[in-house]
């Protein structure tokens, strides 16, 4: 399910494509909803300076052209840096921490539910707004639909914010037990645990009346019992003998809804979110008399804990000092730091405008500095007697692989200041 849409990332998308054959199988359409909300805050971030990226990529047999995804259009906010991540599919690399973790979860389901769960890990991340939002009951006015939070290709097409964007399609296709793994995209903050591209896994299991009637339980109680048994087993599979607890919570697409936490390294760690699927979702998918459970988890979040990886940027590193430390099937190998290069801090103060948002700032900084920026943090703000508000942000530059020169950092900071002022309509102090 779309659980993490309603929480912070990790710890905390017919129009255009209906006219182009290359994308016919990439966009998931729905006949059950005609809602297509596009936010009014159409602040456009123009193309940013980046290293050149491929103009055409192939994903799951579908060719995706860059000029159809990254366009100079007021309804498009996809930068080159996001397109450059398309097709990298870290979760499909058997010797990568994310691939190792995905396969470990697969092993659990294959052992305990042999030949039961269908697995999908190569579904196209460019989807319709219907699939991404409406099909999982995301309200028309929910913040996640905002241009500030989501990457829009056009008003009816987005880069998926969660793997739940494929749920309705798979249910309507007859799948009753499935796992969906993939890269998901959100405009987000800059720090060691947040990145605009990360990876999720979703699991769904559907039951028929014959299942719960034989047990003597009502449908919801039966699904809850099966859900908790399954996920407690998964937690033990990944973390061995750990203490667990269930936390009641709320999601608009499950009822009841839960969070599973484990006591790990002297603290309670949230492992995943889950619940019994809302009947409306099943009805829209033609499963009127069924009940189902669903769960969602972030692969980076768990991998950072299991492998002791301190910074989310490392997952994207091609440095052999990182990649050579992991082997297929070896879950929980502890990562050894290979660099301790010091960060360089640069402060930037400016008078903000009414249209200013932090996510737009993060996009500009990432567009200039890429993975050389470690953190962007608000350290001070005040409002003067004229009602003008000033924000001061501290930018930490640090490479995970080498030392940065003063000249390089100064050049980055100069270009960041220039672009922040011109693109965000702020006045530097």
């Amino acid at each position: 399910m779309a659980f993490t849409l309603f929480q912070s990332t990790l710890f905390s998308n017919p129009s255009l494509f209906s006219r182009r054959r290359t994308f016919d199988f990439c966009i998931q359409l729905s006949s059950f909803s005609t809602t297509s909300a596009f936010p009014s805050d159409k602040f456009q971030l123009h193309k940013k300076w980046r290293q050149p990226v491929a103009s055409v990529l192939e994903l799951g047999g579908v060719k995706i052209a860059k000029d159809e995804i990254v366009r100079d259009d007021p309804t498009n906010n996809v930068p080159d840096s996001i397109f450059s991540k398309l097709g990298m599919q870290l979760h499909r690399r058997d010797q990568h921490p994310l691939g190792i973790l995905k396969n470990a979860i697969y092993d659990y389901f294959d052992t305990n539910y042999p030949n039961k769960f269908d697995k999908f890990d190569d579904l196209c991340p460019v989807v319709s707004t219907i699939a991404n939002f409406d099909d999982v009951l995301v309200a028309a006015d929910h913040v996640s639909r905002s241009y500030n939070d989501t990457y829009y290709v056009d008003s009816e097409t987005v880069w998926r914010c969660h793997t739940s964007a494929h749920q309705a399609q798979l249910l309507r296709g007859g799948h009753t037990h499935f796992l969906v793994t993939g890269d998901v995209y959100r405009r987000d903050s800059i720090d060691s645990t947040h990145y605009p591209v990360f990876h999720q896994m979703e699991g769904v299991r559907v039951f028929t009346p014959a299942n719960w009637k034989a047990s003597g339980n009502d449908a919801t109680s039966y699904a809850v019992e099966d859900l908790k048994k399954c996920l407690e087993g998964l937690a033990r599979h990944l973390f061995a003998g750990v203490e667990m607890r269930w936390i009641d919570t709320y999601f608009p697409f499950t009822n009841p809804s839960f969070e599973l936490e484990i006591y790990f390294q002297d603290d309670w760690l949230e492992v995943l979110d889950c619940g019994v699927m809302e009947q409306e979702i099943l009805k829209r998918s033609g499963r009127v008399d069924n009940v189902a459970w669903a769960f969602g988890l972030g692969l980076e979040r768990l991998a950072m804990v299991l492998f002791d990886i301190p910074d989310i940027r490392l997952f994207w590193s091609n440095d052999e000092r990182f990649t050579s430390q992991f082997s297929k099937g070896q879950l929980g190998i502890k990562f050894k730091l290979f660099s301790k290069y010091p960060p360089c801090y640069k402060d930037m103060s400016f008078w903000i405008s009414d249209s200013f948002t932090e996510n737009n700032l993060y996009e500009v900084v990432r567009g200039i500095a890429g993975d050389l920026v470690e953190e962007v943090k608000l350290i001070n703000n005040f409002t003067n007697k004229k009602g003008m508000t000033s924000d001061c942000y501290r930018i930490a530059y640090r490479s995970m692989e080498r030392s940065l020169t003063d000249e390089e950092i100064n050049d980055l900071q100069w270009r960041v200041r220039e672009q922040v002022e011109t693109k965000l309509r702020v006045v530097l102090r």
Side-chain angles (χ1 to χ4, degrees), residues 35 112 126 163 167 185 224 270 316 407:
T35 304
N112 293 276
V126 182
T163 48
Q167 184 183 101
Y185 301 79
V224 168
E270 181 187 333
W316 299 92
E407 181 182 7

Side-chain angles (χ1 to χ4, degrees), residues 20 63 100 110 180 194 197 216 239 287 295 299 350 410:
R20 293 173 171 82
K63 289 185 177 180
I100 295 169
D110 288 344
V180 180
H194 291 80
V197 189
F239 294 93
R287 298 187 171 278
F295 73 84
L299 291 181
F350 47 80
N410 289 335

Side-chain angles (χ1 to χ4, degrees), residues 251-264:
F251 302 110
F253 29 75
T254 54
N255 183 28
S257 304
F258 311 98
E259 296 172 354
L260 175 60
E261 295 184 348
I262 64 169
Y263 196 71
F264 186 75

Side-chain angles (χ1 to χ4, degrees), residues 137-156:
L137 309 184
V138 177
D141 61 350
H142 193 272
V143 65
S144 64
R145 291 181 183 257
S146 170
Y147 190 84
N148 187 59
D149 285 22
T150 295
Y151 290 109
Y152 277 82
V153 176
D154 61 30
S155 62
E156 298 179 354

Side-chain angles (χ1 to χ4, degrees), residues 158-174:
V158 299
W159 290 60
R160 65 185 173 208
C161 302
H162 45 230
T163 48
S164 305
H166 306 285
Q167 184 183 101
Q169 172 203 16
L170 294 173
L171 287 170
R172 290 195 295 268

Side-chain angles (χ1 to χ4, degrees), residues 65 77 81 90 118 215 329 334 349 409:
N77 65 344
S81 58
L90 304 182
D118 300 321
S215 71
K334 301 307 179 184
S349 298
I409 293 170

